[in-house]
Amino acid sequence: MKKNYLAIFASGSGSNAEAIMKYFFHHSQIEIVLVLSNNERAYALERAKKYNVPSKIFTKTQLQNGEVNQWLKEVNITHLVLAGFLWLVPEIIVTAFPHRIINIHPSLLPKFGGKGMHGHKIHEAVVAAQEIETGITMHEVNERYDEGKILAQVKCAVLPTDDATTLGERVLKLEHEHYPKVIEAWVTSSADRPR
Ligand code: GAR
């Protein structure tokens, strides 16, 4: 079977990026070959060093004018993984990777999604709305925030004693546990589709 080469886009801490690099470190069909960030201070870049994965920083212009596409092409990237990436993915990237970009969102989409909804803000909104459950959504990426085809969702309880911090910790654990496995199933099931 053909090998798949993944690039991770991360804007911040990169704990999901690390869970993914760890999971695929010795994988026979999937290799993480590049970590990309719009933020030179993203801790995700340090985590990439730990796994010997090369990294690059880009500007909005480089993302939109095709330069980032070129980098991805140079290392034969087959799939893109967003892990705490906070910018909208431009059409030039979406078109180059049809059905081959995945994202994780820390709520049960379509609830608590859309522009400006990320990280802590989501958990604050979930607590404020007195939801009794929340969770994670893994979905394909299109040109709109949080609207691509849903691939998997995993739920967890919101406890009466939760604040956004305790809830965020519970949800993040769920992300680390499930995201790598969902990526694995998604990549291997897409391997026979035309590129
Ligand atoms: C994660 O909770 C991820 O789901 C979320 O940002 C966090 C990044 O943490 N993404 C979004 O909210 C996207 N809308 P990490 O940098 O430690 O992986």
Side-chain angles (χ1 to χ4, degrees):
M1 186 177 276
K2 235 181 175 173
K3 191 137 183 196
N4 299 281
Y5 299 104
L6 277 53
I8 300 176
F9 282 65
S11 300
S13 160
S15 69
N16 275 290
E18 176 153 2
I20 295 162
M21 289 186 282
K22 188 173 178 193
Y23 188 85
F24 292 112
F25 199 60
H26 290 299
H27 200 279
S28 60
Q29 291 169 36
I30 296 173
E31 187 179 337
I32 310 299
V33 290
L34 191 58
V35 169
L36 290 155
S37 185
N38 57 304
N39 173 11
E40 63 183 9
R41 292 194 309 264
Y43 192 63
L45 300 167
E46 294 303 313
R47 301 190 198 256
K49 281 185 202 153
K50 194 166 142 189
Y51 289 86
N52 278 327
V53 177
S55 61
K56 273 182 180 279
I57 298 153
F58 58 83
T59 62
K60 199 156 264 181
T61 306
Q62 286 173 311
L63 188 65
Q64 288 171 344
N65 70 6
E67 223 172 305
V68 171
N69 285 50
Q70 194 52 39
W71 300 346
L72 299 170
K73 211 172 157 189
E74 277 162 18
V75 287
N76 297 317
I77 295 297
T78 57
H79 299 73
L80 306 183
V81 173
L82 311 190
F85 181 60
L86 301 184
W87 287 359
L88 194 63
V89 177
E91 199 178 338
I92 190 167
I93 302 265
V94 175
T95 312
F97 292 89
H99 303 289
R100 288 173 192 275
I101 313 176
I102 191 171
N103 181 41
I104 189 161
H105 186 82
S107 77
L108 297 172
L109 289 174
K111 280 187 161 183
F112 306 101
K115 189 168 165 47
M117 285 305 263
H118 52 79
H120 201 72
K121 263 193 199 164
I122 297 168
H123 307 306
E124 275 172 2
V126 169
V127 169
Q130 301 186 325
E131 295 286 318
I132 56 166
E133 63 178 16
T134 188
I136 58 175
T137 302
M138 287 141 287
H139 64 93
E140 284 187 357
V141 171
N142 60 22
E143 303 86 343
R144 289 175 301 280
Y145 279 109
D146 306 325
E147 282 188 23
K149 179 185 163 197
I150 292 176
L151 300 164
Q153 290 188 307
V154 185
K155 293 179 182 175
C156 67
V158 181
L159 304 177
T161 50
D162 271 330
D163 58 20
T165 302
T166 57
L167 185 59
E169 284 166 3
R170 185 173 315 120
V171 172
L172 193 61
K173 244 190 216 162
L174 219 55
E175 297 186 46
H176 298 163
E177 185 187 341
H178 293 276
Y179 198 21
K181 292 179 199 161
V182 170
I183 293 168
E184 183 178 39
W186 170 72
V187 168
T188 48
S189 74
S190 76
D192 300 324
R193 283 186 234 137
R195 285 185 182 155

